[in-house]
Amino acid sequence: MQIEVILSSKTLYRKLSAIVKVISSRSTMPTHSYFLFKVENNELIVVATDIQTTVKTVIDTDKLTGEGEVLIEHSILLSGLKELPEQPIKITIDELQKIKISYERGSFNITGLTSEDFSMMQNHDKEDPINIEMKGDMLVNGIKTTLPYAANDELRPVMYSVFMECKSGQLNFTATNAHYMAVLENKNVNYQDFAVIIDPKAARLLSDLISGDEPVNLYLGSKTLAATFGEYEVITRLIDGVYPNYRAVIPQDNSEELTINKNGLIASLKRVGIFSNQASSLVILNTEKNKLIITGADQDYGSSAKETLPCCGDTNVQIGFKSEFLQQCLKSIGTEEARLSLKDSSCAGLITPVDAEEGVELTILLMPMLVNV
């Protein structure tokens, strides 16, 4: 094996920095901390993987000779490339996996490994997958909107995930934990029905790699999901299990509604939260006609705060929320105004955008906290 590659230093660094996110610092397999460089059919392919997910990318080159593959440790390679200004570099790899990277004013050398112990995520489906071409921005928006609401609990992988399903011409993304839940619905899509539970690391990787509205080809099986887009390919093992019936917990009779400026409410919550109990972060909302009163108190330290905000709505509800959770819910709203749909102090509140994009509906559910009057 004798390989010679000439390419842009920044192009290589940018591509490696994008796919290195899949590499786990806790991997039990030493070779999973390496990039696989593979030259075949006049293409330079670089692969990174962990136990659950593999990502491949094709890197543009100015010159490419030879064929073969080698493993290169990711951290030392990225560190060396990071300090190089934009310029052509030459990579040479010999039969002993000795790698030399030459540039205008010098060179550095790395010893690679053979690729025989490098295992990649493979397709484990026996049946043919469902093939869907989806707009990249639809997939990215669904993941980025809902992923912050997934439980941070690796012992419950079904909850530590993003649920994506298509049913009767509606594509939904959902993530939840015991405190709040986000459901993003895309109406009037023309996809075959499916339901998959996506590992959060793979979901985050997809949302980082997909650019704009480029088309994404999804191959959805019973055990694996593969996605191809641009110069990337991602294959990941799906979470095995049954996702909870999230629609059953969304209240249907929250008739007490008010609309309010989102950023103004977030700012008020930050100020009042300073003076609320630091352990519970409880803030109490009292609604009146065209008025929202926010209070917080810490009885242990004798501190308290109260603010009144204008809103639109003739309601009369008292309800308590964890300040940080309510702020997170409001930050997910992409419009200037948010709608709060409430019932009473024991029923979950719903938060939705006002004048949202046509055909797209976001519903955020937030569980209340006990208010001690």
Side-chain angles (χ1 to χ4, degrees):
M1 176 184 69
Q2 182 71 37
I3 296 172
E4 183 177 298
V5 182
I6 297 177
L7 74 169
S8 160
S9 61
K10 289 304 180 185
T11 295
L12 178 59
Y13 180 74
R14 177 176 56 84
K15 285 292 191 72
L16 296 183
S17 297
I19 68 173
V20 75
K21 297 172 184 177
V22 76
I23 294 177
S24 173
S25 60
R26 299 179 295 174
S27 176
T28 57
M29 298 187 64
T31 56
H32 282 175
S33 65
Y34 285 69
F35 292 120
L36 171 66
F37 276 65
K38 186 174 184 178
V39 177
E40 63 177 8
N41 301 323
N42 292 318
E43 285 188 330
L44 173 60
I45 302 168
V46 182
V47 183
T49 189
D50 66 359
I51 296 175
Q52 298 291 335
T53 304
T54 294
V55 57
K56 303 177 183 179
T57 185
V58 177
I59 299 179
D60 294 332
T61 61
D62 298 320
K63 180 182 177 181
L64 184 62
T65 59
E67 285 197 351
E69 53 190 49
V70 66
L71 298 182
I72 306 178
E73 207 280 330
H74 78 277
S75 60
I76 190 170
L77 178 58
L78 283 172
S79 297
L81 292 171
K82 183 179 180 180
E83 302 304 324
L84 288 179
E86 168 57 25
Q87 61 184 292
I89 59 173
K90 181 169 73 172
I91 304 175
T92 56
I93 306 169
D94 66 17
E95 293 84 354
L96 299 177
Q97 288 78 46
K98 301 294 185 180
I99 301 135
K100 182 177 182 179
I101 299 179
S102 306
Y103 48 95
E104 182 181 2
R105 297 185 178 180
S107 64
F108 58 87
N109 300 279
I110 308 172
T111 300
L113 298 177
T114 62
S115 59
E116 57 187 18
D117 294 326
F118 187 80
S119 60
M120 293 181 284
M121 179 64 199
Q122 302 295 329
N123 191 327
H124 295 282
D125 296 314
K126 296 181 180 179
E127 68 281 2
D128 292 334
I130 297 171
N131 180 210
I132 291 172
E133 183 177 299
M134 185 181 297
K135 289 183 178 180
D137 52 1
M138 180 181 291
L139 180 58
V140 171
N141 185 42
I143 292 172
K144 288 191 172 181
T145 300
T146 58
L147 185 56
Y149 296 84
N152 188 19
D153 183 0
E154 296 185 19
L155 297 178
R156 296 188 299 165
V158 170
M159 302 299 290
Y160 184 52
S161 62
V162 172
F163 181 54
M164 181 172 66
E165 69 167 346
C166 188
K167 191 173 183 179
S168 303
Q170 181 169 301
L171 176 66
N172 300 332
F173 296 84
T174 306
T176 184
N177 59 25
H179 306 289
Y180 47 28
M181 176 176 71
V183 181
L184 184 67
E185 302 172 329
N186 297 271
K187 311 284 187 178
N188 304 318
V189 299
N190 188 25
Y191 303 143
Q192 184 176 344
D193 286 2
F194 66 85
V196 292
I197 307 175
I198 308 174
D199 175 83
K201 184 176 179 181
R204 191 174 293 109
L205 183 68
L206 286 169
S207 67
D208 288 343
L209 292 178
I210 296 170
S211 176
D213 61 353
E214 68 177 341
V216 179
N217 279 296
L218 294 175
Y219 300 88
L220 307 164
S222 60
K223 296 182 179 179
T224 54
L225 177 152
T228 59
F229 49 94
E231 297 175 332
Y232 294 96
E233 178 184 358
V234 176
I235 182 168
T236 185
R237 187 190 302 273
L238 294 168
I239 302 295
D240 186 25
V242 178
Y243 203 79
N245 181 10
Y246 60 93
R247 294 194 176 278
V249 301
I250 300 176
Q252 303 299 315
D253 55 351
N254 283 17
S255 57
E256 302 284 338
E257 293 189 350
L258 63 91
T259 59
I260 193 167
N261 180 273
K262 174 191 69 175
N263 291 329
L265 180 51
I266 291 173
S268 184
L269 289 168
K270 288 180 178 179
R271 291 188 294 266
V272 172
I274 295 172
F275 303 94
S276 65
N277 184 279
Q278 297 304 298
S280 66
S281 188
L282 170 67
V283 292
I284 300 173
L285 308 185
N286 284 277
T287 69
E288 300 178 5
K289 184 174 182 179
N290 297 330
K291 186 187 299 184
L292 176 63
I293 303 168
I294 307 169
T295 57
D298 189 337
Q299 302 298 331
D300 295 335
Y301 291 94
S303 62
S304 63
K306 178 179 180 180
E307 290 196 13
T308 301
L309 296 178
C311 65
C312 182
D314 187 3
T315 63
N316 184 16
V317 177
Q318 181 185 74
I319 191 168
F321 291 118
K322 189 176 182 68
S323 177
E324 286 88 348
F325 290 167
L326 181 53
Q327 291 178 53
Q328 169 64 52
C329 296
L330 292 165
K331 288 175 182 177
S332 298
I333 301 297
T335 57
E336 290 187 6
E337 289 196 320
R339 178 181 294 107
L340 275 63
S341 302
L342 309 171
K343 182 180 180 182
D344 54 44
S345 61
S346 63
C347 185
L350 300 179
I351 304 166
T352 56
V354 177
D355 298 326
E357 177 186 351
E358 184 178 355
V360 180
E361 292 186 8
L362 172 62
T363 302
I364 301 174
L365 178 148
L366 178 59
M367 296 301 296
M369 296 181 68
L370 180 64
V371 176
N372 294 316
V373 181

